[in-house]
Amino acid sequence: MKTLLVTRLLACLALAGMLAQSGLWAADKTAFELAKEGNKHVGEHARDKIVQIRSEKSVGSVTPNVWYVVYYDQFATMKAVEVKFAGDKVASVKRPFRLIEAAADKDSQLNPKQLKVDSDKALKIALKEKILENLKVTASQMKLEEYEGAPVWKIRLWAQKIRQPNKEADIGQIFVAAEDGKVVHLEIKPEKVD
């Protein structure tokens, strides 16, 4: 009986390993990995010219799984091409209307030498902030863009309400530098979970 259980356990582990290798059961890709994948869907003149990476609010997990990578495209009307990912798959490629960004001069590409801290690490850094230790963070929304001259992950967080555990509250945001992982701005309001 003991041998049969061990054999089944080993078979399950082998199957899990094969699924992970085949990509059928793999971890979600990070924002930088998606940006590399997005290069395959934009013109050569736009590849690696990242202007912004942003996610939708995560659902069912703290980690977002719908992402938008915006590249600088000199031939587009608003100078941008956007690749949307749902999970790890390309959902759409379009040239978005970015009038506000164009007027605010937010169309310049991010310095690739400063893009060292990926989305997964930035989220881990934010979630380790002491102000969050007594909160149950339920969701996040992330945006990588220029802030005070450097690329920064702006991470908005939601946490479970205390009196209504089936509801969540927007508790604010934490900014994490994409170059060195330092928290450069913190505006979290834990009292919103009351």
Side-chain angles (χ1 to χ4, degrees), residues 60-76:
S61 167
V62 178
T63 306
N65 67 356
V66 176
W67 290 91
Y68 301 84
V69 182
V70 181
Y71 302 87
Y72 177 77
D73 183 347
Q74 64 189 11
F75 300 115

Side-chain angles (χ1 to χ4, degrees), residues 37-54:
E37 181 68 25
N39 280 336
K40 298 174 187 174
H41 303 278
V42 298
E44 193 173 323
H45 58 277
R47 290 183 187 144
D48 292 321
K49 295 181 179 177
I50 300 169
V51 173
Q52 178 192 76
I53 301 175
R54 69 183 189 283

Side-chain angles (χ1 to χ4, degrees), residues 35-121:
K36 289 288 180 205
E37 181 68 25
N39 280 336
K40 298 174 187 174
H41 303 278
V42 298
E44 193 173 323
H45 58 277
R47 290 183 187 144
D48 292 321
K49 295 181 179 177
I50 300 169
V51 173
Q52 178 192 76
I53 301 175
R54 69 183 189 283
S55 76
E56 291 183 2
K57 180 183 172 188
S58 64
V59 177
S61 167
V62 178
T63 306
N65 67 356
V66 176
W67 290 91
Y68 301 84
V69 182
V70 181
Y71 302 87
Y72 177 77
D73 183 347
Q74 64 189 11
F75 300 115
T77 305
M78 289 293 162
K79 306 294 185 208
V81 60
E82 176 184 271
V83 181
K84 177 182 178 182
F85 292 90
D88 293 342
K89 306 286 185 222
V90 174
S92 67
V93 179
K94 63 182 183 177
R95 292 183 170 174
F97 187 73
R98 304 181 73 227
L99 186 60
I100 295 169
E101 288 86 350
D105 194 29
K106 288 192 174 182
D107 278 338
S108 59
Q109 72 181 66
L110 301 173
N111 183 345
K113 292 179 182 174
Q114 294 178 309
L115 301 180
K116 298 176 182 173
V117 178
D118 208 339
S119 57
D120 58 337
K121 290 186 179 112

Side-chain angles (χ1 to χ4, degrees), residues 96-161:
F97 187 73
R98 304 181 73 227
L99 186 60
I100 295 169
E101 288 86 350
D105 194 29
K106 288 192 174 182
D107 278 338
S108 59
Q109 72 181 66
L110 301 173
N111 183 345
K113 292 179 182 174
Q114 294 178 309
L115 301 180
K116 298 176 182 173
V117 178
D118 208 339
S119 57
D120 58 337
K121 290 186 179 112
L123 185 58
K124 283 180 187 173
I125 290 166
L127 293 175
K128 286 183 182 175
E129 280 297 304
K130 190 156 181 68
I131 196 165
L132 300 174
E133 69 182 14
N134 294 323
L135 301 175
K136 184 175 180 183
V137 177
T138 56
S140 72
Q141 184 176 29
M142 302 179 71
K143 184 185 288 186
L144 175 67
E145 62 184 6
E146 195 163 301
Y147 173 75
E148 296 183 353
V152 167
W153 285 105
K154 297 177 179 180
I155 306 168
R156 180 162 297 282
L157 299 171
W158 285 261
Q160 183 180 50
K161 289 194 163 205

